[in-house]
């Protein structure tokens, strides 16, 4: 066996290489100006679509991004917030012309399907004394209401809910009700009164006895208690989860009560029009913010975290019939509220919501909007190949004869 050659010392060379490695990495991850050449972008003006209800995030998506990410480029970038209506999913044409969109994860899931948007970062929201990047739904009643004990006991009762920006919370509760008691919050209650206001409006109605139960997002009850001086013992949680889970895995330390599985919270997505370097710097800029940052204080949040998979949200939407149509699928509208085996009632004037007896003034209400129907099997004509394209187009309409 040949003797081993004498060992040589590379200590100096390795030290020099390590120094080079540190300098290169520092430049790539957003080190001080001067450590690397500034990047170039295809343009300097970028637009962030933000729900009108989230105006407090303007300092984050306009001010912080322009001041932190903007100077990282040869020609500094400017970010401008464009307010969107609450029903983001109904603004497909408008959203397609945006560069970034900040919205609930179920809306972002739809944008991923319909507009090839990609999740970039998820908000760690702060409510009351707790904070989390996960969210779910809570079905609750007044603690003294002995008539409400579980989902099935809500049969024929009035329920309060929030509008389209809380579709994930309501959809998650609808899924739990169906699984626990083959019960639909829409079909089996006398009506659901949707509010375009704050969670406190829904909570106030339940405490006043105007409605038997309410549906809010996780953390809303705790935030109400913290601001009003009440107590959580004032409420009865329907279907409370002792051990919350997300994607089937237990979540430790979740700070709020929940009636449902947990899902990613509000998420910022980037559209295909965005340069990769721009998206990377936007994510990096938001990652520098923390609970004490002026933008976080103004927005009432904790921080931004890497966006998790939206797979659990997609599964929820599929289970509710929210995603309809062939191919990759599209996001539908109110037909998602009908349980399996039931179809939406035909409305002669789709722009005019049906009136419900007892619907509070100024509210949009749903009252038994479904009817039982036989499944329809559509087959190609003899000699035809593939699916019926006309039916597919009809099947993905936002109203679908509803």
């Amino acid at each position: 066996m040949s003797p081993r050659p004498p060992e040589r010392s590379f200590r100096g060379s390795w030290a020099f290489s390590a120094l080079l490695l540190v300098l290169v990495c520092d430049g790539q991850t957003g080190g001080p100006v001067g450590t690397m050449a500034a990047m170039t972008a295809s343009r300097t003006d970028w637009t962030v679509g933000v729900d009108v209800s989230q105006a407090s995030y303007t300092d984050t998506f306009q001010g912080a991004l322009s001041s932190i990410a903007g100077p990282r480029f040869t020609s500094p970038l400017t970010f401008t917030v464009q307010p969107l209506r609450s029903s983001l999913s109904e603004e497909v044409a408008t959203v397609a012309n945006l560069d970034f969109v900040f919205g609930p994860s179920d809306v972002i899931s739809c944008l991923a399907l319909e507009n090839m948007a990609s999740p970039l970062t998820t908000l760690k929201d702060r409510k009351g004394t707790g904070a989390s990047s996960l969210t779910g739904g809570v079905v609750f009643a007044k603690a003294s209401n002995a008539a409400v004990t579980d989902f099935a006991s809500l049969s024929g009762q009035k329920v309060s809910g929030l509008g389209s920006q809380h579709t994930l919370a309501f959809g998650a509760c609808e899924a739990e009700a169906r699984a626990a008691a083959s019960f639909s919050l829409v079909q089996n209650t006398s009506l659901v009164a949707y509010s375009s206001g704050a969670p406190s409006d829904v909570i106030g109605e339940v405490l006043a006895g105007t409605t038997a139960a309410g549906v809010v997002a996780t953390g809303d009850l705790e935030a109400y208690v913290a601001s009003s001086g009440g107590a959580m013992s004032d409420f009865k949680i329907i279907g409370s989860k002792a051990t919350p889970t997300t994607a089937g895995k237990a979540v430790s330390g979740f700070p709020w009560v929940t009636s449902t599985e947990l899902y990613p919270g509000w998420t910022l997505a980037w559209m295909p029009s965005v340069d990769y370097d721009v998206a990377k710097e936007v994510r990096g800029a938001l990652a520098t913010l923390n609970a004490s940052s002026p933008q976080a204080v103004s927005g009432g949040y904790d921080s931004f975290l890497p966006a998790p998979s939206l797979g659990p949200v997609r599964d929820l939407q599929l289970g509710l019939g929210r995603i309809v149509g062939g191919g990759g699928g599209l996001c539908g509208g109110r037909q998602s509220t009908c349980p399996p085996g039931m179809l939406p009632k035909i409305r002669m004037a789709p722009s005019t919501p049906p009136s419900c007896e007892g619907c509070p003034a100024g509210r949009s209400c749903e009252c038994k909007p479904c009817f039982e129907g036989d499944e329809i099997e559509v087959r190609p004509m003899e000699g035809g190949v593939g699916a019926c394209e006309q039916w597919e187009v009809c099947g993905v309409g936002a109203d679908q004869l509803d």
Side-chain angles (χ1 to χ4, degrees), residues 226-324:
S227 63
S228 67
M232 287 299 292
S233 58
D234 295 336
F235 306 104
K236 180 187 302 182
I237 310 303
I238 309 303
S240 178
K241 304 286 187 184
T243 303
T245 60
T246 183
K249 297 181 179 179
V251 177
S252 61
F254 188 68
W256 308 308
V257 296
T258 180
S259 300
T260 73
E261 177 94 353
L262 301 178
Y263 304 90
W266 281 62
T267 296
L268 180 70
W270 57 303
M271 307 300 281
S273 59
V274 179
D275 302 346
Y276 171 77
D277 284 340
V278 173
K280 183 185 70 174
E281 292 303 319
V282 164
R283 181 178 61 189
L286 294 176
T288 66
L289 305 179
N290 55 49
S292 61
S293 301
Q295 298 85 356
V297 173
S298 173
Y301 62 87
D302 185 273
S303 58
F304 282 87
L305 302 176
S309 168
L310 296 184
V313 179
R314 191 74 49 80
D315 290 342
L316 174 66
Q317 292 173 309
L318 285 168
L320 292 173
R322 175 72 173 161
I323 296 177
V324 297

Side-chain angles (χ1 to χ4, degrees), residues 105 127 134-140 151 160-162 165-177 185 214-222 232 236-242 244-245 254 256-265 316:
S105 58
K127 296 180 181 181
L134 295 172
T135 187
V138 181
V139 182
F140 69 99
F151 287 112
S160 294
L162 288 170
Q165 62 169 301
H166 287 79
T167 52
L168 178 62
F170 192 93
C173 291
E174 172 73 1
E176 292 291 339
L185 291 172
V215 178
V216 292
T218 50
D220 287 342
L221 289 179
E222 288 83 354
M232 287 299 292
K236 180 187 302 182
I237 310 303
I238 309 303
S240 178
K241 304 286 187 184
T245 60
F254 188 68
W256 308 308
V257 296
T258 180
S259 300
T260 73
E261 177 94 353
L262 301 178
Y263 304 90
L316 174 66

Side-chain angles (χ1 to χ4, degrees), residues 374-380 388 391:
D374 297 327
E375 293 187 8
I376 299 175
E377 183 179 3
V378 180
R379 298 180 180 178
C388 175
W391 180 255

Side-chain angles (χ1 to χ4, degrees), residues 12 31 63 65 73 82 95 124 136 167 171 189 212-213 218 241 248 258-259 265 297 402:
L65 292 185
F73 292 81
Q82 177 175 324
V95 167
K124 184 177 182 181
T167 52
T189 52
T218 50
K241 304 286 187 184
T258 180
S259 300
V297 173
D402 181 9

Side-chain angles (χ1 to χ4, degrees), residues 17-61:
S17 298
L19 177 61
L20 287 178
L21 180 62
V22 169
L23 291 175
V24 171
C25 289
D26 186 57
Q28 288 180 340
T29 56
V33 176
T35 58
M36 66 171 291
M39 294 169 285
T40 58
S42 58
R43 50 194 167 91
T44 57
D45 296 325
W46 302 87
T47 304
V48 184
V50 179
D51 188 285
V52 292
S53 67
Q54 307 298 318
S56 60
Y57 287 84
T58 300
D59 287 345
T60 296
F61 296 119

Side-chain angles (χ1 to χ4, degrees), residues 58-80:
T58 300
D59 287 345
T60 296
F61 296 119
Q62 189 165 288
L65 292 185
S66 295
S67 62
I68 300 175
R72 297 283 295 154
F73 292 81
T74 303
S75 298
L77 309 185
T78 300
F79 295 84
T80 303

